[in-house]
Amino acid sequence: MSEEKLPTRAENYSEWYNTLVQRAELADYAPVRGCMVVRPYGWALWENIQSALDRRFKATGHVNAAFPLFIPMSFLEKEKEHVEGFSPELAVVTIGGGETLEEPLVVRPTSETIIGHMYSKWIKSYRDLPVLINQWANVVRWEMRTRLFLRTLEFYWQEGHTAHATAAEAEEETIRMLNQYADFAINDAAVPVIRGRKSTTEKFAGAQHSYTIEAMMGDTRALQSGTSHNLGQNFAKAFEIRFLDESNTLQYCWTTSWGLSTRFVGAIIMTHGDDQGLVLPPRLAPIQLVIVPIYRNDEEKSAVLPVVEQVKGLLSEFRVKVDDRTEVTPGFKFNDWEMRGVPLRLEIGPKDVEKHSVMAARRDIPGKPGKSILSMENLAAQIGSLLDEVQAGLLTKATRFRDEHIFEPRDYGHLKEVVQNGWAYAWWCGSADCEAKIKEETKATTRCIPLDQEGGKGKCIYCGQPADEKVYFARAY
RNA sequence: CGGGGUGUAGCGCAGUUGGUAGCGCACCGUGUUUGGGACGCGGGGGUCGGCGGUUCGAGUCCGCCCACCCCGACCA
């Protein structure tokens, strides 16, 4: 049960986040540092994210499989950049069954290597391609600083791994899945995202290049919310993933990988949440609608409860919860479900029973303005359109917030200023040196080089050299 | 790993010059309440982070250790 007020976002954003995650019962701290327990409500949200994504993966021809948690250490070492990128954060098992292992086993930080190993066994001919496999899994990365959902030692995700006959097909796949992520984020989670390419410094260790969807959180910091990597032939060469083409020539495959994790739960919290608590997008909310019965005595109770049941029956197409707790007052329930982010609340009391109506309150519009009286006629249709309005409203609001906090700085001094409370969209010459200097001086990193560029030429915001592309700079999670 | 902080009931905290542990919330029982975070009465719950030391006596003083949180270098 929840105590009273949350810390406000303005007061202390990170405390607001931490308190909310726990109070809304999304997750809790595990006894191991940096690990989290995803509680039923949080997991239900994740399951809805999973099914929204899985649907898209299936629709684009992918199948699910499961690969082992343990990876031989030597596999990690086969791709030079990959091992350099991941070795600092590996958890390694050296003892099994009381015996020191012949070869240490890495707890997977990601599965390119072990999947690459299997692909080299499975792929012999161009007829075997493409291979389009996804897995839902947990992975472990030994991070220094952790935050619930945003960065934990162990997290849950999906990782897609594909192999193709040509570079063009691999690139097409990489972009296709990036677009699936963007579509999911925007249309199901109401999280507006910018699709873009990562700079060389920011890309995945071992990738030829990486793409990302970047979202702006309520404190204007950026969150990398999903990534798609074109691995080129790097892993194919390291793991001998080869096929015979139509003309009987042995060729290396072109592979991709793409992932989206429980971090996205954090994205939803920080995109939509307000000082009352969570605000969940109707398409993903574990509970879309809560019904709070209201009565003062047994007489009213016996009039109200049957109507509550009747309404619940009418709304069977939605995820409905009836809050029939007797130990707390309706007022408490209102606050409680608002804190938990339920998009819509129905109040049913004696007055409603009498008038054959119900009182509806939208989570995204606090107080009286968000309330409306619905007649019992076509109730399901009315609820359906209210939920659609909430869904659309969240996206509009989040998009407006983001756009209001994206600036095109005049010069470097101006950039320094705007990244304190927003993103800077500026020309960049592409040099890792300028990128590093900017990071050092402002804490802002390049988030992505957006795919949708208006073109033209400019001068690097830092060094003034000619630049072909504009990039987003922001402080990031 | 560096800097800062905190460990006392599930959570948040108090605990005086050392004298054997308390408050609020939550929890259990009960009655009155119930359209925006109800109230009364009665209860249960603690190896005071761990180990050692000083002392007749340690939550309190001393030493060592451990854990967690916050801020930095790495990351989905």
Side-chain angles (χ1 to χ4, degrees):
Chain A
M1 194 94 48
S2 63
E3 294 87 276
E4 310 239 318
K5 298 273 182 189
L6 288 167
T8 66
R9 289 168 301 162
E11 234 162 58
N12 187 338
Y13 197 82
S14 85
E15 203 182 316
W16 167 83
Y17 178 86
N18 290 335
T19 311
L20 180 53
V21 167
Q22 291 177 85
R23 195 134 351 133
E25 297 179 350
L26 294 173
D28 202 353
Y29 291 102
V32 178
R33 178 196 77 87
C35 291
M36 69 173 165
V37 174
V38 182
R39 300 186 65 176
Y41 193 54
W43 193 259
L45 176 56
W46 175 238
E47 282 179 336
N48 290 340
I49 293 171
Q50 286 184 301
S51 64
L53 287 172
D54 207 63
R55 196 162 61 230
R56 288 174 170 84
F57 300 157
K58 301 284 168 58
T60 45
H62 302 82
V63 290
N64 286 333
F67 294 84
L69 174 67
F70 296 127
I71 301 177
M73 182 62 116
S74 57
F75 281 27
L76 266 291
E77 289 159 358
K78 288 188 183 182
E79 213 288 333
K80 186 168 168 286
E81 195 180 304
H82 192 64
V83 66
E84 280 171 9
F86 280 104
S87 56
E89 50 188 74
L90 294 180
V92 182
V93 177
T94 55
I95 297 174
E99 303 280 319
T100 300
L101 299 176
E102 197 73 11
E103 180 181 354
L105 296 174
V106 169
V107 181
R108 64 179 165 217
T110 178
S111 303
E112 277 75 7
T113 58
I114 197 158
I115 291 177
H117 174 85
M118 297 314 295
Y119 280 8
S120 76
K121 290 174 66 175
W122 296 341
I123 298 168
K124 296 297 165 202
S125 146
Y126 71 92
R127 296 182 208 276
D128 298 325
L129 296 174
V131 174
L132 306 172
I133 294 180
N134 175 65
Q135 84 165 339
W136 290 95
N138 57 339
V139 290
V140 168
R141 298 180 187 178
W142 215 264
E143 302 290 350
M144 297 300 175
R145 281 198 64 213
T146 58
R147 299 281 307 279
L148 293 173
F149 289 115
L150 300 175
R151 187 177 304 106
T152 46
L153 296 199
E154 180 189 20
F155 60 88
Y156 302 87
W157 73 345
Q158 57 67 217
E159 44 179 327
H161 295 271
T162 70
H164 307 265
T166 66
E169 276 180 51
E171 179 64 13
E172 197 184 316
E173 168 77 1
T174 312
I175 295 291
R176 176 184 302 119
M177 300 323 285
L178 182 78
N179 287 339
Q180 294 299 319
Y181 286 154
D183 183 67
F184 155 77
I186 294 166
N187 294 312
D188 284 334
V191 171
V193 291
I194 291 173
R195 299 172 310 142
R197 183 164 42 85
K198 281 293 186 187
S199 73
T200 309
T201 342
E202 296 282 331
K203 79 173 174 61
F204 176 75
Q208 191 174 82
H209 52 265
S210 294
Y211 296 100
T212 174
I213 50 171
E214 293 286 324
M216 185 187 285
M217 303 296 98
D219 61 352
T220 76
R221 289 173 72 176
L223 185 74
Q224 178 174 316
S225 306
T227 46
S228 186
H229 313 292
N230 185 332
L231 304 175
Q233 293 182 312
N234 295 348
F235 285 87
K237 285 180 176 164
F239 289 88
E240 299 279 303
I241 310 171
R242 293 184 293 184
F243 69 100
L244 277 176
D245 68 13
E246 290 93 325
S247 57
N248 206 35
T249 309
L250 196 55
Q251 291 205 42
Y252 285 110
C253 286
W254 301 81
T255 67
T256 81
S257 68
W258 26 276
L260 186 145
S261 75
T262 36
R263 169 180 267 193
F264 203 91
V265 173
I268 291 172
I269 299 167
M270 290 194 289
T271 298
H272 303 306
D274 63 20
D275 289 343
Q276 307 308 311
L278 295 179
V279 180
L280 298 178
R283 300 223 173 104
L284 298 177
I287 300 170
Q288 293 176 305
L289 162 85
V290 65
I291 303 178
V292 179
I294 292 158
Y295 48 80
R296 278 164 303 198
N297 50 46
D298 284 350
E299 192 188 331
E300 289 182 352
K301 181 177 176 181
S302 56
V304 165
L305 290 189
V307 176
V308 167
E309 281 311 305
Q310 184 198 341
V311 168
K312 188 187 175 190
L314 289 174
L315 301 177
S316 56
E317 68 197 84
F318 305 105
R319 298 187 286 272
V320 179
K321 162 95 183 167
V322 174
D323 189 349
D324 54 7
R325 287 178 291 177
T326 53
E327 69 273 20
V328 289
T329 60
F332 181 91
K333 293 176 185 178
F334 297 169
N335 287 286
D336 198 37
W337 293 110
E338 280 169 10
M339 191 268 298
R340 290 175 150 81
V342 175
L344 213 53
R345 177 180 76 238
L346 295 188
E347 303 168 21
I348 303 179
K351 286 182 239 167
D352 307 288
V353 170
E354 195 183 316
K355 290 184 292 188
H356 294 282
S357 63
V358 297
M359 176 71 84
R362 289 173 58 159
R363 175 61 180 89
D364 63 325
I365 306 177
K368 287 220 174 71
K371 289 198 175 189
S372 55
I373 293 168
L374 308 181
S375 72
M376 296 284 268
E377 311 287 324
N378 295 321
L379 186 61
Q382 297 178 73
I383 295 294
S385 43
L386 265 180
L387 288 172
D388 288 346
E389 282 175 39
V390 174
Q391 181 80 32
L394 292 182
L395 180 62
T396 306
K397 193 175 169 191
T399 307
R400 190 187 313 126
F401 177 84
R402 181 194 66 186
D403 293 344
E404 283 168 1
H405 291 88
I406 293 179
F407 306 97
E408 299 196 33
R410 301 181 290 278
D411 49 37
Y412 183 56
H414 191 205
L415 179 144
K416 279 181 159 173
E417 201 178 300
V418 301
V419 295
Q420 296 313 309
N421 190 36
W423 294 5
Y425 185 43
W427 291 101
W428 174 51
C429 65
S431 107
D433 207 39
C434 292
E435 199 183 4
K437 293 269 173 47
I438 293 172
K439 181 178 179 181
E440 200 182 306
E441 293 167 22
T442 68
K443 306 252 194 268
T445 51
T446 62
R447 297 324 301 158
C448 71
I449 303 144
L451 297 189
D452 309 308
Q453 293 262 346
E454 58 266 42
K457 302 256 182 210
K459 285 183 175 163
C460 178
I461 191 80
Y462 190 80
C463 68
Q465 295 297 303
D468 300 329
E469 291 176 312
K470 293 181 92 170
V471 61
Y472 289 99
F473 292 93
R475 293 162 307 135
Y477 275 98

